[in-house]
Amino acid sequence: MTITDPSGPHQVLPTPSHTVGPFYGYALPFRGGEEIAPLGHPDTVTVHGYVLDGDGEPLPDALIELWGPRPDGTVPHVDGSQRRDPATGGHLGRNGVEFTGWGRVQTDADGHWYARTLRPGARGRNAPYLSVCVFARGLLVHLFTRIYLPGDEAALAADPLLTRVGDRRDTLIAREEADGAYRFDIRLQGEGETVFLEFE
């Protein structure tokens, strides 16, 4: 007679951390997630780029979350990013007026993402930046980083985080393009890997 251990590896069903993902693309993206700035606001900038794996290949199923302060450096405390219709429960999207500072963007089939937001203002001793959270295949835990926008070189030179990462600081600073657009690629590993932050 053979006794089978019900807790053996061949008997245990896979959990979400063991299965092939990602699953977040099913429920997390929402219409207008990339349009963070109110329509027509004069301080609007566009930040865009690619999410790249260790071989430099773009990921078509990554998800980016962005947070940023207002141009005066204050953090918004308003609802509105994912408003719901109280009658139907359906998603209404942004109201187009209030700036929540938060957005969620899925990469397209080419691994590209973009967001329209307000140019962030400086807070404390930090140069102005956008906070970023990256979800992607192969990541059991999401990654945090920052996007610094060029323009105030003195503030960038004095920023505590940029000073600490030394010669890798360029992986946190977007490249300026024409007409208020900035390019920021996120490299998950390998040569030119983006600096990622760990919070305790």
Side-chain angles (χ1 to χ4, degrees):
M1 176 161 77
T2 304
I3 298 176
T4 304
D5 178 4
S7 65
H10 58 284
Q11 298 292 327
V12 179
L13 295 175
T15 67
S17 64
H18 299 129
T19 54
V20 176
F23 299 112
Y24 50 75
Y26 173 71
L28 292 181
F30 67 97
R31 187 177 70 252
E34 68 281 353
E35 299 293 338
I36 305 167
L39 292 174
H41 196 289
D43 293 315
T44 299
V45 295
T46 300
V47 183
H48 75 102
Y50 292 85
V51 177
L52 306 166
D53 66 15
D55 294 325
E57 295 296 320
L59 296 180
D61 51 5
L63 192 76
I64 308 296
E65 288 188 351
L66 299 162
W67 298 268
R70 296 182 183 96
D72 65 4
T74 59
V75 176
H77 295 284
V78 296
D79 297 329
S81 292
Q82 298 188 67
R83 295 176 311 127
R84 297 243 174 229
D85 184 327
T88 67
H91 182 261
L92 291 174
R94 300 182 191 279
N95 64 15
V97 177
E98 293 179 299
F99 176 68
T100 65
W102 178 81
R104 184 181 286 155
V105 186
Q106 192 167 17
T107 56
D108 64 18
D110 296 321
H112 184 259
W113 64 275
Y114 85 93
R116 287 180 58 257
T117 189
L118 298 184
R119 174 181 286 282
R123 299 184 63 225
R125 298 184 314 145
N126 296 306
Y129 68 87
L130 298 168
S131 295
V132 180
C133 182
V134 183
F135 301 81
R137 69 172 85 158
L139 299 179
L140 297 180
V141 178
H142 43 279
L143 302 172
F144 294 97
T145 190
R146 291 180 178 176
I147 301 173
Y148 289 89
L149 300 182
D152 187 342
E153 298 310 312
L156 291 172
D159 184 88
L161 176 64
L162 291 177
T163 302
R164 188 168 182 189
V165 299
D167 61 355
R168 294 186 61 205
R169 70 193 301 272
D170 288 343
T171 71
L172 297 175
I173 302 173
R175 273 194 347 256
E176 187 168 8
E177 297 180 331
D179 302 324
Y182 297 87
R183 170 83 180 263
F184 186 80
D185 293 336
I186 299 169
R187 297 180 184 274
L188 298 181
Q189 60 179 319
E191 186 177 349
E193 177 182 329
T194 300
V195 170
F196 294 107
L197 310 174
E198 185 173 308
F199 296 99
E200 298 177 349

